[in-house]
Amino acid sequence: MPLGTLDRKAPSLFKHGPSPLARLTLYSALALFLMVADARFHVTEPVRKAIGTVLMPIQWLMLKPVEFARGGAGYFQSLEDAQQGRDEAQSRMAAMSQQANQVELLLQENAQLRKQLELRDRVKAPGMAAQVIYDAADPYTRRVVIDRGQVAGVQPGSPVIDASGVLGQVTRVFPLSSEVTLLIDRDQAIPVRNMRTGTRGVAYGDPVMMHGGGMELRFMPSNADVQEGDMLSTSGMDGVYQAGLPVAKVIKVEKRADSSFSRIYCEPLAQMTGAQYVTVLQPLTDGVRAEVEAEVPAPKSGKVDKPTKSKDLPGRPAAGGRP
């Protein structure tokens, strides 16, 4: 600034603008005004739309490499999964083909043996579907009630099975419902056959075993060939259950030195505590029972012992012959 003039303004280096507090107050008021105006009157909506429209191509171009990378990784992963699934399917098909060939061979051998030995086919008893309504009210028994009775043709002593095996036996029949005693009830006994060795025995119910109920294969000698994992099925010699129905699995064998018999614990294959849908089979007829007993060879002395009548257990019909 030349000397002697009337201009007394401060140099630009010493100029001061609004204070920081004033600017903070101004910007806060402006932001609050814009928020209220946008919320009430949507004044910024056109601006937002315009900015979104302008930025859309840029956003699309920026996301394309990410989509290409993700799509390429997914393609190779899906290709690997498809190849792995194809290999597994081919392995399953080969195994199923081998099993089918074995089954066909076994069926042919079975038919030839039956024809050669003149054995009769296994009896197939008709049955009807039923639903478990509720458990019996007696706390000292293991029984359930189904929704089929005399009107549907249910007979006392009819076997009851589910999808896994024998569940129990009908012990009381009402017009519209029936009471089924489970195999784990203490009053139930069923003749069984070891599917591995062919040895026959009798399995009794044990409602206390493992706190959930089980079965015990009693009166088996200590030297009997019974192992853990052996499967037990009905022997068909009692005249009630047809032969070949799955019953239980051996889970524990105890050899006792103070007894000539072993304690063999079994686990029922049927669902004893949560069965919902079951099948009620008709008991074997007298003609079928006589045919089964006729297949048992008579003693060499020529004397045929009369079959002893077993004592009727509570709620269970007596067996027609020796197990």
Side-chain angles (χ1 to χ4, degrees):
M1 179 180 64
L3 296 176
T5 61
L6 297 177
D7 190 1
R8 299 294 183 181
K9 294 181 180 180
S12 59
L13 182 62
F14 299 98
K15 288 185 178 179
H16 299 281
S19 63
L21 181 59
R23 284 183 290 180
L24 176 62
T25 303
L26 177 62
Y27 294 151
S28 300
L30 181 60
L32 182 62
F33 170 75
L34 291 176
M35 287 190 295
V36 173
D38 184 52
R40 296 294 299 272
F41 305 106
H42 304 285
V43 294
T44 60
E45 189 68 22
V47 179
R48 187 180 296 110
K49 290 182 179 180
I51 295 176
T53 304
V54 174
L55 295 179
M56 183 62 187
I58 302 175
Q59 184 180 6
W60 182 79
L61 290 175
M62 294 179 64
L63 290 178
K64 274 303 177 180
V66 179
E67 292 180 0
F68 286 150
R70 188 177 302 173
Y75 171 76
F76 289 110
Q77 182 66 30
S78 60
L79 182 60
E80 183 179 357
D81 295 341
Q83 293 176 351
Q84 184 177 0
R86 184 199 59 185
D87 296 339
E88 293 178 357
Q90 291 179 353
S91 301
R92 287 197 300 266
M93 289 179 60
M96 292 175 63
S97 177
Q98 183 178 2
Q99 292 179 0
N101 295 333
Q102 293 178 356
V103 169
E104 185 177 359
L105 180 60
L106 291 176
L107 289 177
Q108 293 177 359
E109 293 179 355
N110 191 13
Q112 293 176 359
L113 289 174
R114 285 187 177 276
K115 185 177 180 181
Q116 181 179 358
L117 300 177
E118 297 181 355
L119 297 177
R120 66 180 180 87
D121 294 334
R122 188 175 62 180
V123 178
K124 294 183 179 180
M128 66 182 71
Q131 184 177 1
V132 176
I133 306 176
Y134 55 87
D135 295 340
D138 189 356
Y140 300 101
T141 59
R142 304 301 296 270
R143 302 180 181 181
V144 294
V145 178
I146 60 177
D147 61 348
R148 298 283 186 173
Q150 294 177 350
V151 177
V154 178
Q155 303 176 12
S158 299
V160 180
I161 64 175
D162 65 355
S164 301
V166 179
L167 184 70
Q169 189 177 20
V170 176
T171 53
R172 189 176 298 175
V173 181
F174 302 99
L176 298 178
S177 62
S178 301
E179 193 175 75
V180 179
T181 302
L182 304 179
L183 290 182
I184 59 177
D185 188 88
R186 60 172 51 90
D187 293 331
Q188 274 291 311
I190 178 172
V192 295
R193 176 178 176 271
N194 192 324
M195 299 179 63
R196 182 177 62 86
T197 62
T199 306
R200 288 195 290 265
V202 180
Y204 292 81
D206 187 359
V208 185
M209 189 182 74
M210 297 182 182
H211 307 285
M215 303 180 70
E216 183 180 354
L217 188 61
R218 301 179 185 174
F219 310 117
M220 295 296 293
S222 299
N223 59 353
D225 186 10
V226 181
Q227 302 176 3
E228 296 182 4
D230 286 351
M231 305 300 295
L232 305 179
S233 63
T234 53
S235 63
M237 302 303 295
D238 58 346
V240 178
Y241 298 94
Q242 71 177 41
L245 298 176
V247 177
K249 176 182 179 181
V250 177
I251 59 174
K252 187 177 182 182
V253 179
E254 292 184 357
K255 305 286 186 178
R256 298 185 297 177
D258 57 345
S259 176
S260 58
F261 299 104
S262 303
R263 297 205 65 174
I264 303 173
Y265 300 100
C266 308
E267 179 182 11
L269 298 178
Q271 192 174 3
M272 296 292 169
T273 57
Q276 185 176 3
Y277 298 101
V278 298
T279 301
V280 182
L281 303 177
Q282 292 185 6
L284 301 183
T285 60
D286 295 336
V288 174
R289 187 181 299 112
E291 184 180 354
V292 172
E293 292 177 356
E295 292 183 356
V296 180
K300 294 181 179 180
S301 60
K303 297 181 181 180
V304 179
D305 297 335
K306 295 182 179 180
T308 57
K309 296 183 179 180
S310 60
K311 185 178 180 181
D312 293 344
L313 295 176
R316 185 172 66 91
R322 294 181 180 178

